[in-house]
Amino acid sequence: MKDEVYNKLRNWIVTGELEPGTKLRDLDLSEQLGISRTPIREALLRLENDGLVITKANRWTLVSPIDLTEAKNIYSIVSALECLAMEQALPHISAKDIEELEQLNENFNKTIHIGDIFAALQADNEFHNKIIQLSNNLELPKLLSSLKVRIQRIEIHYFSQTDTKNTSYTEHQQIIDAIKKQDLNRAIDAIKANWKNSLNRIRINSENDE
């Protein structure tokens, strides 16, 4: 039960159904979900650890705000960890792995042209997750799990109105081309550029929203 509540509330926050700054009351959520307050309180504690809510003891709980400082901090960490994954993965990446990366990027491209932002973000995430998986470093997914959820929330928030993901498809292809050439420096530069440009696209969208 507590996992179901946690997943539901996290999904509402990530997709924007619960907007930044929304006040959360365990009594209201208990009535809305038809369950006791205990699993809701436990879920809110987990969401606080995830950085998705802010709690003032015995006073209030709010959905965490989204700002560019948060995005910059998270993107820099994820970019660094993904570069580490590439460094560890490149020596043993096979032709089959490259084909899978290309297919994931083509799936991403299809979702962009369909105009389904949620599917596009998911496909984008699958591409990057493949790089992490290829590192064979089991600690990296643990470190990245909550950060990737926060990234998804940030991107849904800023990309829901305007699709600025088209360029990312080309940036993914540059990563793949570097892998084919077994050029580690070029692959790392391409990963850094992809995350840096994604952050710039968020900045542009945030300025357009003002």
Side-chain angles (χ1 to χ4, degrees):
M1 174 66 74
K2 62 183 179 182
D3 288 337
E4 290 180 12
V5 174
Y6 166 74
N7 290 329
K8 182 178 289 291
L9 292 178
R10 186 180 68 173
N11 185 62
W12 285 352
I13 293 171
V14 168
T15 60
E17 187 169 342
L18 287 173
E19 297 180 351
T22 300
K23 184 174 289 188
L24 303 176
R25 297 178 67 244
D26 54 11
L27 179 59
D28 293 340
L29 292 170
S30 174
E31 293 175 351
Q32 183 178 357
L33 297 174
I35 58 174
S36 69
R37 296 164 72 176
T38 299
I40 290 174
R41 288 170 178 166
E42 293 176 352
L44 291 176
L45 285 174
R46 290 175 66 183
L47 292 168
E48 184 177 14
N49 290 333
D50 292 340
L52 296 176
V53 304
I54 301 172
T55 299
K56 179 71 172 180
N58 300 320
R59 294 188 62 185
W60 44 253
T61 298
L62 300 176
V63 176
S64 297
I66 296 176
D67 57 46
L68 290 178
T69 299
E70 176 194 21
K72 181 178 179 180
N73 291 337
I74 294 174
Y75 274 57
S76 64
I77 295 171
V78 174
S79 176
L81 291 176
E82 197 164 296
C83 287
L84 173 61
M86 177 57 68
E87 181 178 351
Q88 295 179 341
L90 191 61
H92 58 258
I93 290 180
S94 67
K96 183 178 180 181
D97 294 328
I98 293 173
E99 288 179 9
E100 185 170 348
L101 283 168
E102 289 180 323
Q103 185 58 56
L104 289 170
N105 200 31
E106 290 306 318
N107 292 342
F108 174 53
N109 194 38
K110 289 178 183 177
T111 60
I112 292 172
H113 288 94
I114 291 172
D116 187 337
I117 185 61
F118 292 101
L121 292 172
Q122 180 61 34
D124 187 18
N125 194 44
E126 289 174 358
F127 177 86
H128 288 276
N129 282 346
K130 181 62 180 179
I131 294 174
I132 301 300
Q133 176 191 336
L134 289 171
S135 73
N136 293 330
N137 185 333
L138 299 181
E139 297 304 315
L140 285 176
K142 299 175 187 177
L143 292 171
L144 286 164
S145 177
S146 63
L147 293 175
K148 287 296 187 78
V149 170
R150 292 168 71 182
I151 282 177
Q152 187 178 28
R153 179 182 180 229
I154 291 168
E155 295 195 341
I156 287 174
H157 179 76
Y158 283 115
F159 295 148
S160 59
Q161 299 300 321
T162 305
D163 180 16
T164 57
K165 300 292 287 181
N166 292 279
T167 309
S168 199
Y169 166 77
T170 302
E171 293 164 359
H172 288 176
Q173 193 58 53
Q174 291 169 352
I175 295 171
I176 294 171
D177 290 343
I179 292 173
K180 288 179 178 179
K181 292 179 172 63
Q182 284 286 298
D183 189 332
L184 178 59
N185 290 333
R186 184 177 167 190
I188 287 178
D189 286 345
I191 288 172
K192 289 180 179 179
N194 184 221
W195 285 106
K196 180 180 179 180
N197 292 337
S198 293
L199 184 61
N200 286 336
R201 289 189 280 271
I202 286 175
R203 184 178 292 110
I204 291 170
N205 274 15
S206 68
E207 293 172 352
N208 290 339
D209 288 343
E210 294 177 355

